[in-house]
Amino acid sequence: MLEALGLSTAESQVYQLLVGCGRSRVDRVGQLLGLSREHLDEALRVLADKGLVTITDDRPAHLIPAPPDIAGETLLLLRMNELHSVRGVLRQLTKEYRTAPGTASLEEIAEIVPDETLAQRYEQIQRLARQEVLRFDTAPYLVDEDVNAAELEQLTAGIQYRTVYDRAAIEEDGAQGEMRLYSDAGEQARVLGKVPVKLVIVDRSAALVALRTDGARPPGAVVQIHRGPLLDALIALFELAWASALPLDPRLSDTGRNELSGAEIQLLILLLSGLTDDAIARQLDIGTRTVNRRIRGLMDLAGASSRMQLGWQASERGWITASDVNRMHTESSA
C-alpha cells in the first residue's frame, strides 16, 4: 500500500506491522512477517534512512515506528518534489540532445504537428497502439470531441489505457459520466492535483506532447516525439506520476472495501484527490451538508480526528489503495 511513497513491499509490511504493534523486538517482527534476517535487515536499513523507524541499541534491538502523519507526510512531499524536478530534467535533456555532436537531427527526434491535422494525428496515433496507451489528461484539450471514440474502440480490442487526470479535469460538469464510460470499457484511471504536461504515449515508441498548457489557452504547439532519450524521460515521468496518483475507480482493489459502500468509496476518492466539499457535492449530485455529514461519518468509522488522519486510515485499512506499478508495467510489457 505504501509503494507509492518509494517503499518496497517488504518495507511497507514492516512499517505497517510496527504502526499496529508499537515498539517491538527485531526478531519478533521477522517471525511475524516470515522474513529472512537478510531481507529484514535491508528493509530496516531503508526505513531507518527514511526516518520511519528507529532502531535502539538494546540487546536484542527494538524497533520504534515514527508517527505516520509526520514521517509519512515528509516522504509524500519528497515524492512530489521528485515529480516536479523531472520537468527540469526533461528541459536539460532536450538541450543536451539538440547540441550533442553526432546525434540525430531535430527532425528525427520530434516534429511539430500542424494545427489543421492535430485531430487526425491524435486519432491515428491511438489506433497505432498494439499494447498500451499512456495519457496525461488536462484542459485545455487538444481535440474538440465529446467522446474519444478511438479509445473506446481500442479498449474493446484489448489495448490497455492508463490515464492520469488533472484534478481540474474531474471537476468539470459531466466529467464523472465520461470517465465512467471509459472506466467501464476498461480504462485504468488515477488523479493528481496537477498534471505536469499534456501527453499521450503509444506503445512506448511515440508520443504527442503539448508545448504549453498554462491557463485556459490552447497549446502553443503539439510535438510528436520519436524513440530516443527524450521519449524515455517522458515514459519515466508518466510512471512516476502514476505511482503518486490516486485511483479513481473504486473497483481497482477489494482489500478492506467490504467496510464501505460504493458511494462512500467514491466520496473518499474525490476527497483525497483534493476536491473541495462544494466540488464533491456537484460531482455526486448531493448537498454540501450531506458531504460534510458523510465525511464526518467516515472519520468516526476510522477513528480519525482530522481529514489528514482519515486519509492515512483509508490507506491503512485498504479503503483506498494503489495497484503495484511494477506489476502493471510488467504485465503491459509482456
Side-chain angles (χ1 to χ4, degrees):
M1 267 185 281
L2 301 179
E3 285 81 358
L5 293 178
L7 301 181
S8 69
T9 300
E11 293 154 8
S12 177
Q13 291 174 342
V14 171
Y15 182 65
Q16 290 181 76
L17 176 65
L18 288 171
V19 168
C21 296
R23 178 170 178 152
S24 303
R25 287 171 41 174
V26 173
D27 54 354
R28 180 170 179 266
V29 170
Q31 291 171 358
L32 290 174
L33 294 177
L35 292 175
S36 68
R37 187 54 187 257
E38 179 182 356
H39 288 154
L40 178 61
D41 287 346
E42 175 61 21
L44 291 175
R45 182 189 63 79
V46 174
L47 291 172
D49 289 344
K50 292 180 180 292
L52 291 172
V53 169
T54 298
I55 305 173
T56 71
D57 294 328
D58 300 329
R59 291 293 181 271
H62 284 69
L63 306 174
I64 304 173
D69 57 341
I70 298 176
E73 184 70 17
T74 301
L75 283 182
L76 183 61
L77 291 174
L78 288 174
R79 294 288 286 180
M80 293 174 64
N81 289 335
E82 289 175 1
L83 179 61
H84 288 299
S85 69
V86 172
R87 300 182 71 180
V89 174
L90 287 175
R91 297 190 186 100
Q92 183 61 32
L93 280 173
T94 303
K95 180 179 179 181
E96 294 177 1
Y97 198 76
R98 289 176 176 175
T99 58
T103 57
S105 65
L106 182 58
E107 290 74 17
E108 294 174 317
I109 302 168
E111 60 175 301
I112 302 295
V113 179
D115 291 344
E116 57 270 22
T117 67
L118 178 55
Q120 181 185 53
R121 185 71 64 89
Y122 180 58
E123 178 180 353
Q124 288 175 337
I125 197 171
Q126 291 182 82
R127 294 189 185 281
L128 286 175
R130 292 296 176 265
Q131 291 184 325
E132 66 173 357
V133 177
L134 313 176
R135 295 196 310 137
F136 283 153
D137 186 287
T138 181
Y141 292 99
L142 302 179
V143 178
D144 185 14
E145 60 181 5
D146 294 330
V147 174
N148 185 354
E151 175 176 352
L152 294 177
E153 292 178 18
Q154 287 288 72
L155 285 168
T156 301
I159 307 303
Q160 183 186 61
Y161 270 70
R162 283 195 283 154
T163 301
V164 178
Y165 289 94
D166 189 281
R167 184 178 66 193
I170 68 176
E171 293 179 338
E172 297 288 334
D173 291 338
Q176 288 293 311
E178 183 177 345
M179 292 176 189
R180 174 60 60 182
L181 178 66
Y182 299 136
S183 175
D184 289 343
E187 179 189 73
Q188 300 174 52
R190 297 186 180 185
V191 62
L192 270 182
K194 182 66 176 176
V195 168
V197 66
K198 296 176 69 66
L199 175 67
V200 179
I201 303 174
V202 173
D203 286 346
R204 302 174 183 263
S205 62
L208 290 180
V209 183
L211 294 186
R212 189 191 68 227
T213 59
D214 54 312
R217 294 178 295 170
V222 175
V223 177
Q224 181 166 342
I225 308 295
H226 306 299
R227 289 185 185 273
L230 183 55
L231 179 58
D232 292 341
L234 289 171
I235 294 170
L237 171 63
F238 177 87
E239 294 295 358
L240 183 58
W242 180 262
S244 303
L246 185 70
L248 268 178
D249 193 336
R251 298 167 297 180
L252 280 178
S253 176
D254 295 326
T255 305
R257 292 181 183 272
N258 58 339
E259 297 181 72
L260 302 184
S261 67
E264 288 172 325
I265 293 172
Q266 185 67 10
L267 186 150
L268 259 180
I269 289 173
L270 295 174
L271 174 66
L272 299 182
S273 298
L275 269 65
T276 64
D277 289 1
D278 288 339
I280 294 173
R282 290 196 301 271
Q283 291 298 327
L284 299 182
D285 195 23
I286 58 178
T288 303
R289 289 185 179 179
T290 302
V291 171
N292 288 326
R293 185 174 67 254
R294 291 182 181 178
I295 292 175
R296 170 51 60 185
L298 289 171
M299 290 171 60
D300 292 342
L301 180 62
S305 59
S306 68
R307 294 189 177 192
M308 177 178 290
Q309 288 184 359
L310 173 60
W312 279 105
Q313 286 296 327
S315 176
E316 290 293 324
R317 293 167 178 259
W319 292 346
I320 301 294
T321 64
S323 301
D324 187 349
V325 176
N326 292 329
R327 177 181 60 79
M328 295 179 66
H329 173 68
T330 300
E331 291 177 354
S332 63
S333 301

